[in-house]
């Protein structure tokens, strides 16, 4: 008889244990949560840095525009190139292009590329940073040229490298923690990761860079939180640095670099606000237009350093004669303007003009130790007596100053031919 064929027994498939299933599940959970949180933070950081970098480029372009304005007006390409080079060398800038009013190249500066790493930084900046910032250069309200600034991206590149390293470190720590104990992972990993994800969410949605992850019971997750907090610390520091740089550039854009006084743009803006307030209160606003009578002679005979010292001395003396609420600005060259607001009596402007003229009597000490004397001619205009807007007040005050200078240097006059004492 034939022997019966034994039944075919299928091969035994090994089945995973519950512990290994839990370990793999928690490992996947840790990997996904950490990756999402880290990627969200890096994405938010890049977006925030990109926005701040764009603002920084715009402010830098404006600052460069004020710097090269005179060079564009006088066609001095060498001075423009030197000026933008001095500023761009200190900033995270790849390229600066200055064109004249017709769009023709006028001057430029480009950061040198010495290595493959620098070239790679430039390529990353071209992708991640906003496009070049372009601003017109105005002179007396006329566009005389344009300034285009491209970012270098060194800070962004460094952050991306650090961010990728932080992500890898966080993932490595999470993997190690997942294998320690599946039960412990089940109890202790979910809450810390949820807190980390909540912080990343708050940073991404609300820009809450001051939030930090609380310490966790598991050492690896606690280290992950520390690394995450360290990234937040760096991001907060970069944000503060960018704010400080933006504030510095904004100050440069609105103040005269020699005397530290507000420039024409800020003066006209604050004067316009003061006129609006005066229109509501019915009070006067006075504008004094000051011009140094001997500045050209001093500058030509004694040199630019002496001329700068005279301008700084004049600015300091004018400030000491004014109230805290008053404003003094350097409009350009040897011309200054003072805003007195509010003014109840027109005669008060005349008294202040007299005190300003008297303050010029003492000699000014020059850098070489020698001294020089100078006088000022002043034109005074009142709102609403002589003009109804900021530009009109400056214009009639300027005309009164020239009348005073022609009549007698070192004197002052009201607008509309109301003459003050010499």
């Amino acid at each position: 008889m034939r022997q019966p064929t034994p039944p075919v027994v299928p091969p035994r498939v090994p089945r995973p244990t519950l512990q290994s299933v839990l370990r793999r599940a928690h490992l996947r959970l840790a990997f996904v949560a950490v990756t999402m949180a880290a990627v969200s933070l890096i994405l938010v950081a890049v977006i925030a840095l990109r926005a701040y970098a764009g603002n920084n480029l715009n402010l830098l372009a404006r600052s460069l525009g004020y710097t090269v304005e005179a060079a564009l007006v006088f066609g001095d390409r060498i001075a423009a190139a030197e000026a933008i080079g001095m500023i761009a060398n200190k900033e995270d800038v790849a390229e600066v292009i200055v064109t004249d009013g017709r769009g023709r190249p006028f001057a430029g500066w480009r950061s040198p590329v010495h290595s493959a790493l620098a070239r790679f930084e430039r390529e990353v900046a071209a992708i991640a940073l906003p496009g070049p910032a372009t601003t017109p250069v105005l002179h007396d309200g006329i566009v005389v040229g344009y300034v285009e600034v491209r970012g270098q991206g060194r800070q962004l590149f460094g952050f991306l490298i650090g961010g990728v390293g932080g992500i890898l470190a966080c993932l490595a720590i999470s993997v190690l923690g997942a294998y320690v104990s599946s039960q412990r992972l089940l109890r202790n990993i979910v809450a810390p990761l949820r807190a980390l994800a909540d912080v990343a969410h708050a940073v991404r949605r609300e820009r809450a860079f001051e939030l930090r992850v609380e310490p966790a019971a598991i050492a690896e997750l606690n280290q992950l939180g520390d690394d995450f907090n360290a990234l937040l610390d760096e991001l907060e520091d970069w944000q503060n640095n960018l704010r400080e740089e933006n504030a510095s550039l904004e100050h440069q854009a609105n103040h005269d670099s020699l005397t530290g006084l507000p420039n024409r743009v800020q003066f006209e803006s604050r004067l316009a606000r003061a006129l609006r307030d005066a229109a509501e209160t019915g009070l006067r606003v006075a504008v004094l237009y000051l011009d140094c009578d001997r500045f050209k002679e001093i500058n030509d005979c004694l040199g630019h350093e002496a001329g700068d010292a005279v301008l700084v001395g004049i600015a300091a003396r004018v400030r000491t004669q004014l109230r805290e609420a008053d404003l003094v600005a350097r409009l350009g060259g040897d011309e200054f303007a003072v805003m007195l607001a509010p003014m109840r009596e027109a005669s008060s402007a005349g008294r202040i003009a007299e005190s300003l003229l008297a303050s010029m009597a003492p000699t000014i000490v020059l850098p070489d130790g020698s001294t020089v004397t100078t006088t000022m001619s002043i034109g005074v205009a009142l709102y609403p007596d002589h003009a109804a807007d900021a530009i009109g007040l400056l214009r009639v005050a300027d005309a009164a100053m020239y009348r005073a200078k022609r009549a007698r240097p070192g004197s002052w006059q009201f607008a509309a031919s109301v003459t003050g004492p010499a």
Side-chain angles (χ1 to χ4, degrees):
M1 292 180 62
R2 296 180 58 185
Q3 294 294 331
T5 304
V8 178
V9 179
R12 186 174 182 180
V13 179
R15 298 181 181 277
T17 64
L18 178 61
Q19 182 178 6
S20 63
V21 170
L22 290 175
R23 185 180 294 116
R24 285 195 297 269
H26 285 289
L27 179 60
R28 294 190 188 99
L29 177 63
F31 182 87
V32 171
V34 173
T35 301
M36 291 297 294
V39 169
S40 298
L41 179 63
I42 296 298
L43 180 60
V44 170
V46 170
I47 293 173
L49 288 175
R50 190 177 188 271
Y52 282 117
N55 293 335
N56 191 38
L57 287 178
N58 285 324
L59 287 173
L60 181 59
R62 289 175 58 194
S63 178
L64 288 170
Y66 288 119
T67 302
V68 302
E69 176 185 351
L72 279 167
V73 172
F74 294 103
D76 192 344
R77 298 173 181 269
I78 296 177
E82 291 176 350
I84 62 178
M86 290 178 60
I87 296 177
N89 271 322
K90 301 176 182 179
E91 304 292 339
D92 190 18
V93 175
E95 186 178 22
V96 178
I97 299 175
V98 179
T99 57
D100 60 19
R102 298 181 180 179
R104 296 174 300 188
F106 183 79
W109 179 89
R110 185 177 179 84
S111 175
V113 178
H114 299 297
S115 63
L117 180 61
R119 285 192 294 272
F120 184 62
E121 284 182 357
R122 193 71 57 84
E123 293 175 358
V124 171
I127 297 173
L129 289 180
T134 303
T135 185
V137 181
L138 302 178
H139 179 73
D140 293 336
I142 300 174
V143 177
V144 296
Y146 298 89
V147 176
E148 179 179 303
V149 181
R150 295 179 182 274
Q152 174 105 347
R154 184 168 299 160
Q155 294 180 349
L156 181 62
F157 181 79
F159 172 76
L160 291 175
I161 295 299
V164 171
I167 292 174
L168 295 177
C170 293
L171 290 175
I173 295 170
S174 298
V175 170
L176 179 62
Y179 277 98
V180 173
S181 171
S182 59
Q183 292 298 327
R184 206 168 191 178
L185 289 174
L186 187 62
R187 291 194 309 267
N188 297 329
I189 198 173
V190 174
L193 286 177
R194 183 178 293 117
L196 188 148
D198 290 341
V199 171
H201 181 80
V203 170
R204 182 170 64 90
R205 291 293 181 89
E206 304 170 12
R207 300 293 189 268
F209 295 108
E210 72 281 358
L211 294 180
R212 294 296 181 270
V213 178
E214 295 294 331
I218 299 178
E220 291 78 10
L221 288 180
N222 189 64
Q223 182 63 44
L224 171 62
D226 291 342
D227 291 342
F228 195 82
N229 289 337
L231 286 174
L232 288 175
D233 289 338
E234 293 181 12
L235 179 59
E236 190 173 21
D237 289 341
W238 283 326
Q239 182 189 33
N240 293 335
N241 290 336
L242 285 173
R243 284 177 176 171
E244 292 174 0
E245 291 177 5
N246 290 343
S248 176
L249 289 172
E250 184 176 3
H251 184 274
Q252 294 176 24
N254 290 286
H255 289 77
D256 174 52
S257 59
L258 176 63
T259 62
L261 297 177
N263 58 17
R264 178 183 288 271
V265 173
Q266 186 178 2
F267 183 83
E268 291 180 353
S269 174
R270 292 181 59 179
L271 177 58
R273 290 201 302 269
L275 295 183
R276 289 194 294 269
D277 294 340
E280 296 177 358
T281 60
L283 298 177
R284 286 186 172 94
V285 175
V287 169
L288 281 63
Y289 206 104
L290 290 69
D291 184 84
C292 180
D293 295 319
R294 297 186 55 214
F295 181 73
K296 187 175 186 305
E297 174 189 344
I298 294 170
N299 213 37
D300 293 344
C301 298
L302 302 180
H304 293 294
E305 290 187 1
D308 290 346
V310 169
L311 293 176
V312 172
I314 291 173
R317 294 181 184 189
V318 171
R319 272 194 294 250
T320 60
Q321 302 300 316
L322 302 178
R323 303 169 299 179
E324 185 176 350
D326 299 330
L327 174 67
V328 57
R330 182 186 176 198
L331 303 183
D334 60 338
E335 294 181 339
F336 296 82
V338 172
M339 179 184 73
L340 307 175
M343 295 287 293
R344 296 185 180 276
E345 299 179 359
S347 59
S348 300
R351 289 195 296 270
I352 293 177
E354 290 283 0
S355 67
L356 291 175
L357 294 179
S359 70
M360 298 298 131
T363 59
I364 297 175
V365 180
L366 301 181
D368 61 1
S370 61
T371 59
V372 67
T373 58
T374 186
T375 58
M376 300 287 289
S377 295
I378 303 176
V380 182
L382 298 173
Y383 168 87
D385 305 63
H386 301 125
D389 56 36
I391 302 300
L393 275 177
L394 283 171
R395 183 171 59 251
V396 297
D398 185 20
M401 179 273 295
Y402 276 108
R403 288 199 306 273
K405 185 184 289 286
R406 287 193 297 268
R408 184 177 183 182
S411 65
W412 66 273
Q413 286 194 10
F414 269 117
S417 301
V418 180
T419 306

